[in-house]
Amino acid sequence: MCLYIDESVHGSAYSKQKAFIAQTDIVVWKFLDKRYDYRDGKYHYHAPYRGTEYKLGDLNESALEKEWDKVHKGLHCFASHRKARSEKEIFGSTSSVFCGIIPKGSQVYVGICKELVSNQLIVYKSKKDLEAVHGEIQPAITKDIALAT
């Protein structure tokens, strides 16, 4: 899955588009497939497009790879629950939407549909689990909240 970089956020000069650094934890939404592994008798959670496994409640990390106006590699998520729900329909009903945090200090790109790609992401099984660790959550990100170049 590619993220097309939002020029209104990152600027239009492809060579100069850099990831923002999250100045605070950013609340996000991620849809994942829940798969049962008969080898270990446990459920595992995977991104539906590339199959990347996510460990719930743990810090998941990835390199960011950008070429021109696209980010090809990173941890994709959404700034709104509604957008995550609508996008998951593309991948079928086996996916579920989970809440998560892009931790403070992470590198973040904003896409043209306000989706996000980061090098770090913590996904939680429920909003209650997230709030047990981070406190009450607030609505997600806008262009000028929680990001700085």
Side-chain angles (χ1 to χ4, degrees):
M1 196 163 151
C2 281
L3 174 127
Y4 288 88
I5 296 170
D6 187 337
E7 293 180 1
S8 71
V9 175
H10 293 277
S12 61
Y14 298 140
S15 62
K16 297 186 182 206
Q17 291 174 331
K18 294 183 180 169
F20 288 107
I21 303 300
Q23 298 301 299
T24 64
D25 289 346
I26 302 170
V27 177
V28 295
W29 304 92
K30 174 79 181 166
F31 60 91
L32 299 171
D33 289 337
K34 182 178 176 180
R35 301 178 189 165
Y36 185 76
D37 187 336
Y38 291 98
R39 294 172 292 182
D40 67 6
K42 296 179 182 176
Y43 284 99
H44 297 267
Y45 299 87
H46 297 265
Y49 185 72
R50 287 199 173 168
T52 304
E53 184 173 358
Y54 283 76
K55 303 289 186 188
L56 299 185
D58 290 342
L59 180 65
N60 298 276
E61 297 183 277
S62 173
L64 291 175
E65 291 180 8
K66 174 191 167 289
E67 182 180 6
W68 296 102
D69 62 341
K70 299 177 200 87
V71 180
H72 296 283
K73 185 175 182 185
L75 304 172
H76 293 251
C77 54
F78 296 91
S80 81
H81 186 260
R82 179 183 303 164
K83 180 69 173 168
R85 275 194 340 256
S86 68
E87 289 290 321
K88 93 169 184 77
E89 297 305 321
I90 295 169
F91 293 95
S93 60
T94 62
S95 297
S96 296
V97 176
F98 296 85
C99 53
I101 293 287
I102 294 175
K104 178 181 178 177
S106 300
Q107 297 174 359
V108 182
Y109 282 100
V110 179
I112 58 174
C113 296
K114 301 308 177 213
E115 70 275 30
L116 306 170
V117 171
S118 178
N119 66 326
Q120 299 183 336
L121 180 62
I122 305 169
V123 180
Y124 293 91
K125 191 167 190 170
S126 69
K127 182 179 170 186
K128 183 178 177 181
D129 290 345
L130 183 150
E131 289 181 335
V133 175
H134 298 277
E136 185 177 350
I137 63 171
Q138 300 300 316
I141 178 178
T142 63
K143 174 181 166 184
D144 52 0
I145 295 176
L147 299 176
T149 54

